[in-house]
Amino acid sequence: MDLSRRGFLQAAALTAAASGLTVACGGGSGSGGTKNGKNLTLWYWGGALSDKVVAEAKTHFSGTVKLTAASIGGDFKQKLTTTLAAGGSSVPDITGIKGEDIASFLPNASRFLDLNDLGFKKISSQYLGWKTKLAQTSDGKQIGFPIDIGPTALFYREDLFAKAGVATDPDKVAALVKTWDDYFALGTELQKKNPGSYLVNNIGSVFTVVVGQGTQRFIDKNNHFIGDQDHIRAAWTTAVRPYTLGIDAKINDNSWNAAIGKNLLTELGAAWHALDIEQAAPQTKGKWRVCANPVGPSNQGGSYLALPKQCRNPEEAFKIISWILSPANDARGFTDAAIFPAAPAAYAMPAMTGPDAFFGGQKIIEVFGPAAKAIPDSYEAPADAAVMAPYMTELTNIEAKGKKPDAAWNDAVSQAKQIARRQGVN
């Protein structure tokens, strides 16, 4: 899926952090053969946390515990699932869970400790409510402590807008693209003035944002499939528009790096996508700006820390994750690795309020901060990601194979229903 691009980029470059992290798939609760609460282990993946903050946590808590951190490469979810199923000393005391995976872990919430019992309820107001709820069971058990989020916005090329004689100030651009129709109309105008350019990288990116702007997705709270209902069909129709208008670049993860600095007028993406653009197209420094995306924000990505039930010292482990994910350290995570905080108090801290040279000196928190707070509450079922996959595949088939949109829709719904049934969805 297009939105996991950052994950693809990072997967090829996972290395041991300068802070001395142990890179391994082992090193769980029985690390070093010690089975007492004085030795705790933390599993996460490259880019999930600030390595500097994790290194400082080791020192900060050294008087009470020895914290060993492991950056796990490869398929993190699969390795964690396998380890939890096996049980025993290999299970980490603290583990990360990716945002796209948290719903699939909720049916097995008994494998984790309820963070509310350890004090999370007292500090939960410091974190965005919609994010907290996504890691909560129907009976209120909290298995995930929010690490970060991915509020979306519209990244755009200020220089190409200026060339077309279009307003370039972020507030004015936002006013020009209040609706998806406005956005597509602007793209058509911009393309005429910038021949060979395109408004969107692919239509899958549009579909994902539109779906995320609503309060319903593909499965409802009663475990019924609703991926054929009006809200998903409307998202599909909206996503196909750039393709029919000829303003869709039809690019994928493999070709995105080469395209981003050349012929893309805009990018729909989360806050962390800013780092992707900067790394892929450093020659465009100062030429990009950010504004609110059409209609409203959605969320893409963002993860959690959890405590497996085998955790040897839950009280101390909770102190550690509370410290690592405090608003102040959340702000540092943004500075260190573009990890956008789930704690709104961080948005006013100096680490996040300064001008960004890559974006022409714009203070991009002024866009992403309000977006983070405006993301709607939505229900994400455990099978949601699996059920969504056929829609993304069929949107790609429209672009790559010229498949008719209506035929692609019918096939996407048919395949999604089959997957839903296999996943136990009514």
Side-chain angles (χ1 to χ4, degrees):
M1 188 185 301
D2 178 72
L3 302 175
S4 61
R5 179 182 303 117
R6 187 183 185 191
F8 286 126
L9 294 175
Q10 290 174 337
L14 283 176
T15 57
S19 56
L21 300 178
T22 302
V23 181
C25 184
S29 300
S31 179
T34 305
K35 297 181 184 255
N36 60 55
K38 296 294 185 181
N39 291 269
L40 297 179
T41 53
L42 163 65
W43 276 18
Y44 67 111
W45 56 93
L49 297 168
S50 163
D51 291 334
K52 294 179 181 178
V53 172
V54 171
E56 288 184 21
K58 295 179 183 180
T59 301
H60 187 81
F61 292 93
S62 61
T64 53
V65 297
K66 177 183 179 183
L67 177 64
T68 301
S71 181
I72 309 299
D75 189 333
F76 188 91
K77 179 186 178 183
Q78 183 57 51
K79 291 177 180 178
L80 177 60
T81 301
T82 301
T83 303
L84 290 174
S89 62
S90 61
V91 178
D93 298 288
I94 305 168
T95 183
I97 298 179
K98 295 184 178 182
E100 62 266 31
D101 298 330
I102 191 69
S104 67
F105 280 102
L106 290 177
N108 295 304
S110 61
R111 295 188 183 277
F112 300 93
L113 298 176
D114 184 353
L115 299 181
N116 285 329
D117 293 339
L118 296 166
F120 181 76
K121 189 172 288 188
K122 296 178 182 178
I123 60 173
S124 62
S125 61
Q126 296 180 34
Y127 302 88
L128 290 162
W130 63 262
K131 176 68 175 179
T132 297
K133 290 177 184 176
L134 290 173
Q136 206 173 80
T137 62
S138 59
D139 60 356
K141 182 177 181 179
Q142 188 73 35
I143 71 167
F145 195 126
I147 296 177
D148 64 322
I149 58 173
T152 61
L154 181 68
F155 299 88
Y156 65 94
R157 284 285 297 271
E158 187 270 349
D159 57 327
L160 298 182
F161 274 49
K163 182 180 177 181
V166 174
T168 61
D169 176 78
D171 289 337
K172 291 181 179 179
V173 174
L176 291 175
V177 296
K178 287 186 175 181
T179 70
W180 289 106
D181 285 342
D182 292 340
Y183 177 50
F184 300 147
L186 178 61
T188 300
E189 178 184 349
L190 289 167
Q191 190 183 60
K192 291 177 181 177
K193 301 293 179 66
N194 294 279
S197 64
Y198 298 93
L199 184 70
V200 301
N201 56 21
N202 60 52
I203 56 179
S205 63
V206 180
F207 182 72
T208 307
V209 171
V210 179
V211 170
Q213 290 174 328
T215 57
Q216 291 183 305
R217 294 179 62 85
F218 299 89
I219 303 165
D220 68 16
K221 292 182 179 179
N222 295 316
N223 201 36
H224 292 126
F225 175 78
I226 54 173
D228 55 354
Q229 294 188 5
D230 290 347
H231 66 292
I232 297 298
R233 184 65 204 242
W236 177 277
T237 301
T238 299
V240 171
R241 285 287 306 285
Y243 173 80
T244 57
L245 291 170
I247 50 178
D248 169 25
K250 308 175 190 175
I251 62 177
N252 55 34
D253 289 312
N254 294 327
S255 57
W256 180 82
N257 275 24
I260 186 61
K262 297 178 181 179
N263 62 351
L264 284 177
L265 297 161
T266 70
E267 279 276 287
L268 292 161
W272 47 256
H273 192 48
L275 183 61
D276 291 349
I277 298 173
E278 184 173 353
Q279 291 178 338
Q283 74 280 9
T284 61
K285 180 179 180 180
K287 297 180 179 180
W288 289 89
R289 301 290 186 275
V290 187
C291 73
N293 59 223
V295 179
S298 63
N299 181 67
Q300 296 172 3
S303 304
Y304 300 86
L305 286 178
L307 305 182
K309 67 178 182 180
Q310 292 91 342
C311 179
R312 292 166 295 177
N313 190 335
E315 290 75 19
E316 201 64 25
F318 183 77
K319 289 178 183 178
I320 290 172
I321 64 176
S322 300
W323 186 85
I324 290 175
L325 300 177
S326 66
N329 281 332
D330 265 0
R332 291 181 57 202
F334 182 76
T335 301
D336 296 342
I339 302 169
F340 197 89
Y347 306 163
M349 295 180 179
M352 299 194 69
T353 56
D356 191 313
F358 188 83
F359 292 94
Q362 182 183 354
K363 297 179 179 180
I364 62 176
I365 188 60
E366 295 176 356
V367 176
F368 287 113
K373 298 174 184 178
I375 292 168
D377 281 333
S378 64
Y379 172 70
E380 187 169 337
D384 188 86
V387 171
M388 183 179 183
Y391 298 86
M392 305 303 293
T393 298
E394 289 299 327
L395 287 169
T396 299
N397 286 340
I398 293 173
E399 295 174 317
K401 301 178 181 178
K403 192 169 183 176
K404 297 296 184 182
D406 284 345
W409 164 259
N410 291 334
D411 286 346
V413 171
S414 176
Q415 294 164 31
K417 285 181 176 178
Q418 292 178 35
I419 292 171
R421 280 193 291 269
R422 290 198 296 269
Q423 297 271 346
V425 178
N426 299 319

